[in-house]
Amino acid sequence: MTRFLISAIALFLTGCVDLTAVQNFASKSSGVMTANSAVFSGWPPIIVTHALEVARTPVIARSERAADAKELLQLANEFKGDSAVIQSAAGALQLYFTTLTSASATGVVDVSKQAASIDQSLVALKVESATGAGLAAKGSAQAIVQLLQIPLDLARQAAVRDLVVKSDKDVQTLVAYLAQVAKQAARLDYVAAGILGKYYDTSAIDSRDPGVQALVRDTGWQRQSDAQSATSQANATASALLAIGKDHAVLAANAAQLSADVVKSTLTADAPIIEAALKPFLPK
Amino acid sequence: MSGTTAQQLSDLADTLTASANAIDAQVNSNLDPLSPEGQHLKDMSGHIATQAATIGMLAMATLQNDVQAAVTDLNGNIKQANQKIAQIQSAQKLLSVAAALLSVAASAATRDPFGAAENVMNLVNMVQGAIKNT
């Protein structure tokens, strides 16, 4: 029986798999979706709205950017028309990573105090003793209660493995799409910033007052800076989404060994890319 | 564009955007942006950026065809996973409650102390039974 208990404890120790890396990855990925949920559902940003407003002015209508402004209006309408699909994709992906976080966090319940209490009672009853063997050995109840946790831990691993393998194709489709959405939002931002810039530039050129000219130019630079920040953050979000897809593919390929070194090292290496997208990519 | 993948379209849009960025950076660094030359180059970069956005929209449209099916599949997988998680959590609660009950039972037992140990083994079956469908 002693051999049985030793084997049981050994099985328990080998049966438990550390899914902390998977849990952290899933949690951060869910965080990226949460941080950008307003962006994925809040199109168009103010910069595009302003660009479309100035597009109607004679300054732009007579300029070299007239065709670009017309194209921006069409593209913005198309993008807005896709908002239901975008929200649906972002919502499903967020729910997925929340579920994966929960599944990988369903750790082994700590019953050590209860098990110790059982052993204490059994020793008091002289069922267990320091010289006893098998079930009569001191601490046997604790070992058995730990043994009970093996099937639970195996079930947890199976749930995570099943979810990751079954969902990988869908996750790849959605992250690729949302990465493209983020990039496209940045591209439209850039076009909008260019049209606003043209409006300010032309206004500055047409003004004969150096003071007014300076103020208009300053406003134009500020808008350009805002657009560059938005573009940079949108690209960070796109990169994060692509990294999430890559990491998830590694999880699926190593589903049988989710605590393997290759999984941990890949997730650790990409963590900064994902963390860079934990804030919205467009200005309010 | 027939046969062109979303990735190729996206790459092309990225390349064009990078070109527009590079032109703007050059104008801002080396020219007066309000000079005729500066304005001409900025107009050119604006046209390129617009073309990039138009191509980017095509990339989005190409990918969009598969999105709805993926959302439906994923939601089904999430539902199944949540059911399994709920079963595991129920079994954990059972294990915790059963261990506590056993502690009380062991304390109360006086006549048949080995019965308490047998009860521990019975717990194995209870827990395994509770999670057999997970």
Side-chain angles (χ1 to χ4, degrees):
Chain A
M1 190 55 78
T2 306
R3 194 181 303 161
F4 161 75
L5 289 174
I6 292 169
S7 303
I9 294 168
L11 182 59
F12 172 73
L13 292 173
T14 55
C16 288
V17 170
D18 181 9
L19 295 179
T20 307
V22 176
Q23 186 193 348
N24 286 341
F25 161 71
S27 175
K28 280 176 189 161
S29 300
S30 175
V32 169
M33 303 311 300
T34 303
N36 290 289
S37 61
V39 173
F40 287 130
S41 62
W43 182 264
I46 199 74
I47 194 166
V48 174
T49 306
H50 285 170
L52 293 176
E53 283 172 10
V54 302
R56 287 194 288 266
T57 63
V59 172
I60 294 299
R62 287 198 298 264
S63 77
E64 283 291 316
R65 299 290 179 93
D68 292 336
K70 205 172 170 183
E71 184 74 5
L72 176 65
L73 178 62
Q74 189 177 332
L75 292 171
N77 282 335
E78 283 178 31
F79 194 95
K80 200 176 176 182
D82 290 341
S83 62
V85 180
I86 295 168
Q87 285 182 53
S88 167
L93 208 53
Q94 179 168 18
L95 187 58
Y96 171 76
F97 281 113
T98 303
T99 302
L100 184 58
T101 304
S102 178
S104 52
T106 309
V108 176
V109 66
D110 183 10
V111 292
S112 55
K113 282 185 183 172
Q114 288 149 323
S117 175
I118 293 169
D119 277 322
Q120 203 173 11
S121 300
L122 294 178
V123 169
L125 292 167
K126 300 190 188 321
V127 175
E128 289 182 3
S129 68
T131 55
L135 283 174
K138 192 177 177 185
S140 62
Q142 192 159 6
I144 289 170
V145 172
Q146 283 184 334
L147 177 63
L148 295 177
Q149 298 171 50
I150 294 173
L152 281 177
D153 197 60
L154 291 175
R156 172 178 72 126
Q157 291 171 46
V160 172
R161 190 169 57 235
D162 195 42
L163 179 63
V164 167
V165 171
K166 269 189 188 170
S167 306
D168 188 51
K169 185 170 169 283
D170 300 326
V171 169
Q172 298 304 329
T173 300
L174 296 184
V175 295
Y177 177 67
L178 290 175
Q180 198 53 236
V181 167
K183 282 188 175 186
Q184 185 62 7
R187 291 177 194 125
L188 292 173
D189 250 17
Y190 197 84
V191 174
I195 290 167
L196 273 178
K198 182 70 178 178
Y199 176 77
Y200 290 120
D201 285 353
T202 306
S203 299
I205 291 166
D206 289 349
S207 172
R208 293 179 182 179
D209 184 332
V212 171
Q213 199 171 66
L215 280 173
V216 172
R217 288 184 79 168
D218 185 59
T219 305
W221 287 328
Q222 187 56 48
R223 295 292 173 273
Q224 194 171 25
S225 174
D226 288 348
Q228 281 168 349
S229 299
T231 301
S232 172
Q233 191 56 36
N235 286 334
T237 300
S239 298
L241 285 162
L242 294 175
I244 288 169
K246 189 189 93 180
D247 289 357
H248 196 275
V250 171
L251 288 185
N254 294 277
Q257 281 186 306
L258 286 171
S259 59
D261 286 345
V262 64
V263 173
K264 286 180 183 172
S265 61
T266 303
L267 298 184
T268 303
D270 287 344
I273 301 172
I274 295 171
E275 283 164 8
L278 287 174
K279 58 180 181 175
F281 64 72
L282 294 178
K284 290 179 184 175
Chain B
M1 285 291 174
S2 171
T4 308
T5 65
Q7 189 59 52
Q8 288 170 323
L9 289 168
S10 178
D11 290 346
L12 179 56
D14 286 347
T15 304
L16 290 173
T17 301
S19 300
N21 265 314
I23 292 170
D24 282 344
Q26 281 293 322
V27 171
N28 292 332
S29 302
N30 300 321
L31 291 172
D32 173 2
L34 298 186
S35 67
E37 296 80 8
Q39 284 295 298
H40 177 64
L41 285 170
K42 285 179 83 171
D43 286 340
M44 276 180 62
S45 80
H47 296 328
I48 293 169
T50 304
Q51 291 303 309
T54 304
I55 292 166
M57 212 70 215
L58 289 173
M60 259 181 70
T62 305
L63 289 169
Q64 200 167 303
N65 295 334
D66 299 325
V67 169
Q68 197 49 56
V71 168
T72 305
D73 280 356
L74 198 59
N75 282 334
N77 295 343
I78 291 166
K79 193 177 174 185
Q80 282 182 357
N82 278 327
Q83 286 171 346
K84 287 180 185 175
I85 293 167
Q87 284 174 312
I88 292 168
Q89 286 171 342
S90 296
Q92 281 182 329
K93 280 181 191 164
L94 176 64
L95 174 61
S96 181
V97 170
L101 286 174
L102 181 70
S103 173
V104 175
S107 301
T110 52
R111 299 288 178 95
D112 183 18
F114 281 99
E118 280 180 23
N119 285 340
V120 175
M121 293 306 291
N122 288 337
L123 279 178
V124 177
N125 295 329
M126 286 172 64
V127 172
Q128 283 179 336
I131 63 167
K132 68 181 177 185
N133 294 323
T134 60

